Amino acid sequence: MPSATVRFVDGMQFVATSGSGHAIVMDTTEDVGGHDTGPRPTELVLIALGGCTGMDVVSILRKMQVHFTRFEMEIQGERASEYPKYFTKIKVIYRVWGDVPEEKLKRAIDLSLEKYCSVSNSLKPRAEVSYEYQINAPSPPSPT
Amino acid sequence: MPSATVRFVDGMQFVATSGSGHAIVMDTTEDVGGHDTGPRPTELVLIALGGCTGMDVVSILRKMQVHFTRFEMEIQGERASEYPKYFTKIKVIYRVWGDVPEEKLKRAIDLSLEKYCSVSNSLKPRAEVSYEYQINAPSPPSPT
């Protein structure tokens, strides 16, 4: 059963410890009392979604014996304009490099987002989760 | 607009960079190909929920001029037993120490979970989000 503890530190800084024993700092912007020492909670939701579907897709591609050399995702969220500002739309852009057949990649993504990924399926149906993919894009985006 | 990039590293390790520029490592257990170098994505969802409602409650208590000396949360999630294993129940236990009137704490929590917290409202209605609170519990739980 997933679990976590989250402790207030100072300002708007919180430190979480996951049930598996890993610590994460969260914080927010100066204008609402934070000091930007860690990601915003809403960003963490998108990160969790990326990790969840990423693990699924990597696992499924391996089972399909598809060999990739690089794999990354960009996740963009839109929230309602009025409170409660829940996520209304989330788009995942998958970028994969290597000898990757399009049909197999698409199948792996669909299996993840529809069936295996706990995070995407926890955010639906409130959020519409959509995706795009790029195979061997000409130049990998530079690290941010 | 919240965003993130998530890159595959090795095994089942992914490194995310939030739109605000903070990095997070995610990983999973050895039995599914991971090396436990970071939290699971499902744990991150609970951590995000704790950070989100924690920031709201701290902010509201400050506006109410309620003084607390310590504030922490425990978040427990239950997921569906079959795929897709979305969160079905999430319980947040708020523990606060200080001169904290119960009615004000309860009001702050309700405002957060029902109105202000993007994360709890993104997980509802699939997940039933419930809470408990303890004010000045006899002995603070020891750090885990």
Side-chain angles (χ1 to χ4, degrees), chain A residues 1-4 6 8 11 18 20 22 36 43 62 71 73 75 77 79 84-85 87 115 118 121-122 126, chain B residues 1-4 6 8 11 18 20 22 36 43 62 71 73 75 77 79 84-85 87 115 118 121-122 126:
Chain A
M1 205 168 78
S3 68
V6 178
F8 172 68
S18 73
S20 64
H22 300 280
D36 190 26
E43 291 177 329
R62 282 175 180 159
F71 175 54
M73 292 153 283
I75 306 105
R79 295 192 294 157
K85 296 183 180 177
F87 280 106
K115 181 170 180 187
S118 292
N121 285 290
S122 292
R126 273 222 149 153
Chain B
M1 205 167 80
S3 68
V6 178
F8 172 67
S18 72
S20 65
H22 301 280
D36 190 26
E43 291 177 329
R62 282 176 180 160
F71 176 55
M73 291 154 284
I75 306 106
R79 296 191 294 156
K85 296 183 180 176
F87 280 105
K115 181 171 181 188
S118 292
N121 285 289
S122 292
R126 273 220 149 155

Side-chain angles (χ1 to χ4, degrees), chain A residues 83-96:
Chain A
Y83 290 113
K85 296 183 180 177
Y86 53 83
F87 280 106
T88 53
K89 290 184 183 180
I90 300 175
K91 185 198 274 187
V92 186
I93 304 167
Y94 298 82
R95 296 192 180 98
V96 190

Side-chain angles (χ1 to χ4, degrees), chain A residues 6 8-9 11 30 37-38 41 57 59 62 65-66 69 77 84 89 91-92 95 101 105-106 111 115 118 129 143:
Chain A
V6 178
F8 172 68
V9 182
E30 301 269 351
T37 61
V57 171
S59 175
R62 282 175 180 159
Q65 299 193 299
V66 170
T69 55
K89 290 184 183 180
K91 185 198 274 187
V92 186
R95 296 192 180 98
L105 176 61
K106 190 171 182 309
L111 276 171
K115 181 170 180 187
S118 292
V129 179

Side-chain angles (χ1 to χ4, degrees), chain A residues 30-105:
Chain A
E30 301 269 351
D31 61 315
V32 288
H35 294 93
D36 190 26
T37 61
R40 321 290 166 252
T42 48
E43 291 177 329
L44 272 191
V45 172
L46 302 184
I47 288 171
L49 173 55
C52 178
T53 184
M55 288 181 192
D56 289 342
V57 171
V58 161
S59 175
I60 296 167
L61 289 180
R62 282 175 180 159
K63 280 176 190 154
M64 290 171 166
Q65 299 193 299
V66 170
H67 300 288
F68 57 90
T69 55
R70 181 174 174 150
F71 175 54
E72 54 190 50
M73 292 153 283
E74 186 178 329
I75 306 105
Q76 302 164 343
E78 282 181 37
R79 295 192 294 157
S81 54
E82 304 292 329
Y83 290 113
K85 296 183 180 177
Y86 53 83
F87 280 106
T88 53
K89 290 184 183 180
I90 300 175
K91 185 198 274 187
V92 186
I93 304 167
Y94 298 82
R95 296 192 180 98
V96 190
W97 287 264
D99 184 13
V100 180
E102 180 176 346
E103 273 312 299
K104 291 191 173 178
L105 176 61

